[in-house]
């Protein structure tokens, strides 16, 4: 190499950042299962490129999809991961849980995962050793990370190609509908309707509405965008306190009346393409995430931009959560991801909340039951929605020095529910907890 | 039957996990230079590793797993680029308008680098990544790209000529921001 070539090599090595997460064998295994052509010697040229930001690619959601692969492989034999056998070259014991499981007992789940039938047998709840707030595993389905929400007395989440309603008492899937999320955006519950983003590409965003009890589709709304949708889209759909839907639509945000499906307004942005939206609980402020990552604070009453700030990290996700005191989100450094809170939506005053997550997990805050929850693989905390103060926190267990993961919970019926994953035991499912009084306002 | 086939197929090859753990960071960084974003980089690396999985024993015997993985990455990237040019046009990255302090200087440097790489034809970009980031020899680069050594030299020279005048990148060629 000559001098100029060496300089270029030096620049490439110095400037290229470390990846926010590593690729895991489990993700590769998932690709092989979901795209068997890759492993069977057919021409790679026929493989369509997956959607950017799609489920298999998303930074935040990829780990949970690896868990979903576990369920696909397990097939109809058990609801517990059998992929462990391919990792450790030994079969799982009867019941599916490997010897390193942190669950105190491992009863057999006779219900096949990922089926379309809501009829399932109840899995006995089992205590999670060292789990926070009396955590017990009530079901061993695999769900998409960051998709769990509560509403209308139920839990809702994305399964493997499905939108599911989960009975919080038994943990079983009470209703299901075919659904493949085009981007990270949890279901949005308005009244007795569950709204999801059906597609988000080119110049259109399509929303689907489902009856919250039966998950029968009841509505479809086409939202034309101004310009193309963001390539970093995440949480492009949210609801205000009056039930109106807010949709990131190119260089605009569109409001939709869910009762009629009519577009009721459009806010034009001048600073870029909206990648995520959130609305304050009082309905007065719209937060718009742009790129990775600028935050726009829009005064809905005055129809003006109140503030605009940029976070000092371009790897931030668009998972905005708005509370009375400001807005929350997730950013990442190296292998860890952690939650920030920006008072009044001012990113220059953003503070770190919680210990975050590593090992391919994401710490995505949730606002449920009157408090903000911050899960991850180190701690599980509840925090004040007004000022970001931690109200209570629990240290999460490890399994043979491998972190265990509790997602930020959703609250219903006086309990908090998290997705739980134990990589050492290749075990995942829904955990139920009873948080302390400090995490007050437990109602949904 | 599909699930059974999947299980048989997923017997993890010896040494595969160690390779993934040791090399995924470097492969992802190459993927980022090729594609310009982490989700696509992860997709690229996962695709290449999935293709290598069933051939792993043979690749290890030839002591060439990384060469093979990089070859798949580059060819998949080139295929994606052809698809992009013929069809959907990806939304561009949004420029940051402010830059203060070291952290933002890093951001500026990365954006300048990606902007410069975006201006290169796909094959020139692939040569830059393989030759100057992955430290592959000219013959290894030619093997990965399925072209001659002369073609690699030609692509490299043209890429250097373009990068030499890339706005915002020239100042980093003589020192500056660390990642």
């Amino acid at each position: 190499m000559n001098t100029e070539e060496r300089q270029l090599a030096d620049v490439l090595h110095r400037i290229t950042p470390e990846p926010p997460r590593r690729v895991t064998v489990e993700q590769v295994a998932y690709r092989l299962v979901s795209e068997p052509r890759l492993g069977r010697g057919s021409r790679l040229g026929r493989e369509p490129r997956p959607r950017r930001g799609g489920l298999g690619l998303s930074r935040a959601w990829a780990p949970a999809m690896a868990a979903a692969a576990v369920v696909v492989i397990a097939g109809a034999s058990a609801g517990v991961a059998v992929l462990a056998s391919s990792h450790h070259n030994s079969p799982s014991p009867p019941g599916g849980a490997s010897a390193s499981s942190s669950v105190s007992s491992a009863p057999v789940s006779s219900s096949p995962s990922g089926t379309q039938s809501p009829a399932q047998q109840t899995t006995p709840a089992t205590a999670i050793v060292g789990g926070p707030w009396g955590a017990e595993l009530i079901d061993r389905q695999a769900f998409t990370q960051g998709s769990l929400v509560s509403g209308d007395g139920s839990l809702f989440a994305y399964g493997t190609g499905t939108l599911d309603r989960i009975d919080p008492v038994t943990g079983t899937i009470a209703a299901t509908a075919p659904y493949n999320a085009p981007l990270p955006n949890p279901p949005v519950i308005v009244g007795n309707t569950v709204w999801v983003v059906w597609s988000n590409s080119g110049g259109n965003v399509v929303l689907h509405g489902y009856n919250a009890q039966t998950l029968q589709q009841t509505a479809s709304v086409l939202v034309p965008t101004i310009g193309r949708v963001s390539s970093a889209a995440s949480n492009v759909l949210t609801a205000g306190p009056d039930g109106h839907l807010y949709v990131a639509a190119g260089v605009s945000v569109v409001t939709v009346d869910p009762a009629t499906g009519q577009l009721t307004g459009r806010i034009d942005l001048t600073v870029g393409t909206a990648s995520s939206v959130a609305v304050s609980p009082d309905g007065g402020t719209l937060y718009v995430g742009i790129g990775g990552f600028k935050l726009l604070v829009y005064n809905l009453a005055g129809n003006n931009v109140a503030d605009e700030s940029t976070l000092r990290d371009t790897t931030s996700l668009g998972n905005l959560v708005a509370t009375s005191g400001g807005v929350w989100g997730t950013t990442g450094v190296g292998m860890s991801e952690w939650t920030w809170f920006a008072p009044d939506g001012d990113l220059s005053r953003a503070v770190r909340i919680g210990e975050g997550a590593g090992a391919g997990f994401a710490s995505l805050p949730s606002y449920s039951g009157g408090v903000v929850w911050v899960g991850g693989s180190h701690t599980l905390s509840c925090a004040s929605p007004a000022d970001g103060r931690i109200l209570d926190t629990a240290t999460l267990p490890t399994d043979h020095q491998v972190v265990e993961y509790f997602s930020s919970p959703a609250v219903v019926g006086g309990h908090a529910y998290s997705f739980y994953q134990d990589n050492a035991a290749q075990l995942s499912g829904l955990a139920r907890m009873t948080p302390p009084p400090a995490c007050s306002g437990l109602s949904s | 039957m599909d699930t059974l086939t999947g299980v048989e197929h997923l017997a993890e090859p010896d040494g595969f996990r160690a390779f993934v753990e040791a090399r995924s960071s470097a492969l992802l960084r190459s993927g980022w230079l090729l594609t310009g974003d982490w989700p696509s980089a992860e997709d690229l690396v996962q695709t290449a590793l999935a293709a290598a999985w069933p051939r792993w024993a043979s690749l290890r015997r030839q002591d060439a797993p990384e060469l093979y993985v990089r070859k798949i990455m580059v060819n998949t990237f080139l295929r994606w680029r052809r698809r992009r040019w013929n069809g959907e046009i990806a939304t561009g990255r949004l420029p940051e308008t402010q830059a203060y302090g070291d952290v933002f200087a890093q951001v500026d440097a990365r954006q300048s680098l990606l902007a410069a790489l975006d201006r290169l034809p796909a094959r020139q970009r692939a040569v830059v990544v393989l030759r100057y980031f992955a430290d592959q020899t000219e013959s290894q680069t030619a093997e990965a790209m399925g072209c001659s050594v002369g073609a690699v030299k030609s692509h490299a020279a043209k890429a250097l000529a373009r990068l030499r005048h890339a706005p915002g990148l020239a100042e980093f060629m003589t020192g500056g921001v660390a990642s």
Side-chain angles (χ1 to χ4, degrees):
Chain A
M1 287 189 195
N2 61 32
T3 302
E4 190 179 34
E5 289 176 312
R6 280 195 296 273
Q7 282 182 341
L8 175 59
D10 182 54
V11 165
L12 293 174
H13 283 103
R14 278 192 292 117
I15 296 178
T16 305
E18 285 296 319
R21 74 172 81 246
R22 307 294 174 91
V23 169
T24 66
V25 173
E26 288 72 23
Q27 289 170 329
V28 178
Y30 173 68
R31 292 295 294 269
L32 272 172
V33 171
S34 60
E35 301 171 48
R37 288 169 299 177
L38 287 175
R40 289 178 184 164
S42 64
R43 284 179 54 81
L44 287 167
R46 292 202 295 269
E47 179 203 4
R49 183 186 184 186
R51 287 171 296 205
R52 178 176 294 193
L55 276 178
L57 312 181
S58 167
R59 298 175 65 248
W61 291 20
M65 290 310 294
V70 164
V71 174
V72 171
I73 295 162
S77 60
V80 180
V82 186
L83 188 61
S85 61
S86 66
H87 296 157
H88 307 303
N89 298 318
S90 61
S92 295
S98 77
S100 62
S101 169
S102 282
V103 176
S104 60
S105 62
V108 175
S109 168
S110 59
S111 58
S113 301
T115 66
Q116 296 298 307
S117 170
Q120 297 176 49
Q121 294 182 20
T122 302
T123 303
T126 51
I128 297 173
V129 177
W133 303 327
E136 54 185 0
L137 195 62
I138 64 170
D139 187 83
R140 298 188 182 186
Q141 306 283 334
F143 298 103
T144 302
Q145 192 175 180
S147 71
L148 180 67
V149 296
S150 62
D152 202 32
S154 292
L155 296 165
F156 298 89
Y158 302 144
T160 308
T162 58
L163 165 66
D164 297 324
R165 180 170 75 81
I166 305 165
D167 183 338
V169 176
T170 64
T172 55
I173 294 176
T176 190
Y179 175 66
N180 285 295
L183 76 171
N185 199 130
V188 175
I189 318 298
V190 178
N192 65 347
T193 302
V194 183
W195 290 92
V196 298
V197 179
W198 182 259
S199 69
N200 183 77
S201 64
N204 293 303
V205 182
V206 177
L207 312 178
H208 278 189
Y210 299 85
N211 180 286
Q213 286 299 310
T214 64
L215 291 188
Q216 294 293 311
Q217 188 185 345
T218 57
S220 179
V221 177
L222 174 68
V223 180
T225 66
I226 301 295
R228 299 178 66 84
V229 300
S230 170
S231 61
S234 169
N235 286 39
V236 299
L237 169 67
T238 191
D242 61 355
H244 271 69
L245 302 173
Y246 290 77
V247 184
V251 292
S252 69
V253 176
V254 169
T255 54
V256 177
D257 181 350
T260 63
Q262 297 297 309
L263 311 189
T264 55
R266 186 185 292 273
I267 298 167
D268 294 322
L269 308 174
T270 58
V271 294
T273 302
S275 56
S276 52
V277 289
V279 178
S280 63
D282 64 5
T285 306
L286 169 69
Y287 300 99
V288 183
I290 295 172
F293 184 82
K294 181 179 289 183
L295 183 64
L296 197 68
V297 181
Y298 192 87
N299 180 349
L300 287 169
N303 286 324
N304 63 294
V305 175
D307 193 15
E308 179 184 326
S309 55
T310 303
L311 194 67
R312 293 186 175 193
D313 193 326
T314 56
T315 63
S316 291
L317 308 179
N319 58 315
L320 299 181
V321 172
T323 63
S324 59
V327 66
W328 308 62
T330 297
T331 189
V333 176
M335 281 294 287
S336 69
E337 291 193 335
W338 46 271
T339 293
W340 49 262
F341 168 64
D344 303 320
D346 181 358
L347 290 172
S348 69
R349 293 189 286 141
V351 294
R352 178 172 177 157
I353 305 289
E355 292 298 315
F361 297 116
S363 182
L364 309 171
S366 62
Y367 185 27
S368 185
V371 295
V372 177
W373 303 89
V374 182
S377 53
H378 303 290
T379 58
L380 177 58
S381 304
C382 63
S384 165
D387 57 16
R389 182 170 42 93
I390 297 293
L391 302 172
D392 204 320
T393 192
T395 301
L396 299 178
T398 60
D399 185 352
H400 292 68
Q401 284 76 55
V402 178
V403 295
E404 295 174 44
Y405 172 73
F406 283 78
S407 73
S408 301
V411 173
V412 63
H415 294 285
Y417 296 82
S418 283
F419 294 151
Y420 167 73
Q421 191 161 322
D422 176 352
N423 275 350
Q426 293 290 314
L427 183 67
S428 63
L430 189 66
R432 177 170 56 206
M433 297 162 288
T434 306
C439 303
S440 58
L442 287 175
S443 61
S444 89
Chain B
M1 290 304 293
D2 284 342
T3 54
L4 289 175
T5 304
V7 170
E8 290 165 5
H9 208 63
L10 281 174
E12 186 180 314
D14 287 343
F16 188 78
R17 181 172 294 269
F19 176 84
V20 171
E21 290 173 352
R23 300 304 299 158
S24 74
S25 177
L27 294 171
L28 282 167
R29 293 176 79 202
S30 292
W32 183 82
L33 286 169
L34 287 169
T35 64
D37 65 80
W38 289 118
S40 298
E42 288 183 10
D43 187 27
L44 200 57
V45 174
Q46 287 175 18
T47 299
L49 289 171
W53 181 305
R55 303 163 183 81
W56 194 252
S58 168
L59 293 171
R60 283 189 85 195
R61 280 194 298 275
Q62 299 168 40
D63 196 25
E66 183 155 347
L67 276 178
Y68 181 82
V69 170
R70 289 193 181 279
K71 181 176 183 177
I72 296 294
M73 283 178 63
V74 164
N75 286 307
T76 304
F77 160 71
L78 293 173
R79 202 155 35 242
W80 287 355
R81 284 291 292 264
R82 283 197 295 273
R83 283 175 177 274
R84 184 182 302 181
W85 289 339
N86 293 333
E88 185 177 345
I89 299 171
T91 303
R93 278 179 294 278
L94 292 164
E96 298 289 340
T97 55
Q98 293 180 314
Y100 302 112
D102 291 343
V103 174
F104 283 154
Q106 286 179 16
V107 172
D108 285 347
R110 292 169 192 173
Q111 289 183 337
S112 297
L113 175 61
L114 289 181
L117 292 175
D118 280 347
R119 293 189 189 96
L120 297 179
R123 296 186 74 79
Q124 289 181 23
R125 185 171 187 161
V127 166
V128 166
V129 174
L130 287 173
R131 273 290 282 139
Y132 304 122
F133 181 75
D135 299 322
Q136 305 285 288
T137 65
E138 288 173 338
S139 59
Q140 286 172 330
T141 303
E143 163 68 18
M145 295 184 60
C147 64
S148 67
V149 171
V152 168
K153 289 179 177 176
S154 173
H155 287 314
K158 290 175 181 173
L160 276 168
R162 286 176 182 244
L163 294 175
R164 195 176 296 141
H165 304 294
L169 187 63
E171 56 264 39
F172 300 117
M173 300 282 277
T174 53
V177 181
S179 62

